[in-house]
Amino acid sequence: IHLGDAIEATGASRWEIRENQNPCILNELNVFERQIQELNLVAPKAKKVFIYGNHDSNMLHEERISKGMRGLVQHYWSGVQDRAMQDWDFPCAEYAHDQYYRLGQVTFQHGGNTGAAHTDNHLSVQSIEYGVPFGLHVSAHTHAPVAPKQARLGKAWLPYWVANAGTSIVTGK
């Protein structure tokens, strides 16, 4: 299960590009496609699931990329899906904070609403909003891995478990 943010999409960022960044979305998509091809080779019969992240979605936002460029990027992204991801499932049509995929008592979600100050409290709130009691909620939005642990709010332990898988962001370098 890929939890999104397949690429950094630095070239689609509305934020200032740092000196060491190479903002080329097509390079990032090429590297991502190679990663997907490798996953397909090592697990040809496995069910593969892709959940969109905010960076994947940012590639097509009007304020991020000009209309003409959006068409080019969408065309290339569709090609990656048609070629390398043809047998993958896309349970969420786009990125949204409430989109998730559930496998038994495990809920997989890109996540969101973390802001600049990530706290474990946020992971707990997501598990309550989108997970199931006595289940595990796995997200990735903060990009920082967090090992599975019991959720809590303040001093109160909750009947939920949380984890953050981080992301596989590709920068094309």
Side-chain angles (χ1 to χ4, degrees), residues 104-173:
Q105 286 187 264
V106 181
T107 303
F108 297 92
Q109 177 186 35
H110 180 74
N113 290 332
T114 57
H118 162 67
T119 64
D120 288 343
N121 186 50
H122 171 74
L123 296 177
S124 296
V125 170
Q126 278 187 154
S127 71
I128 296 166
E129 290 178 344
Y130 305 110
V132 295
F134 305 103
L136 172 65
H137 181 272
V138 182
S139 62
H141 181 73
T142 65
H143 301 201
V146 173
K149 61 185 177 182
Q150 190 171 3
R152 70 185 223 181
L153 290 176
K155 294 181 181 181
W157 293 98
L158 306 172
Y160 296 86
W161 287 80
V162 299
N164 192 302
T167 64
S168 69
I169 282 184
V170 175
T171 62
K173 295 177 185 173

Side-chain angles (χ1 to χ4, degrees), residues 65-124:
I65 298 179
S66 68
K67 186 176 182 179
M69 190 61 140
R70 279 195 313 272
L72 175 64
V73 171
Q74 179 60 48
H75 174 74
Y76 196 89
W77 175 246
S78 295
V80 171
Q81 290 177 320
D82 291 345
R83 290 184 304 272
M85 302 178 85
Q86 62 188 347
D87 62 341
W88 283 60
D89 288 335
F90 293 82
C92 309
E94 60 186 19
Y95 169 72
H97 294 214
D98 63 349
Q99 299 294 300
Y100 60 85
Y101 176 76
R102 187 166 291 134
L103 185 61
Q105 286 187 264
V106 181
T107 303
F108 297 92
Q109 177 186 35
H110 180 74
N113 290 332
T114 57
H118 162 67
T119 64
D120 288 343
N121 186 50
H122 171 74
L123 296 177
S124 296

Side-chain angles (χ1 to χ4, degrees), residues 57-67 70:
S57 180
N58 285 348
M59 291 187 301
L60 305 175
H61 282 191
E62 189 171 314
E63 69 273 7
R64 303 288 177 117
I65 298 179
S66 68
K67 186 176 182 179
R70 279 195 313 272

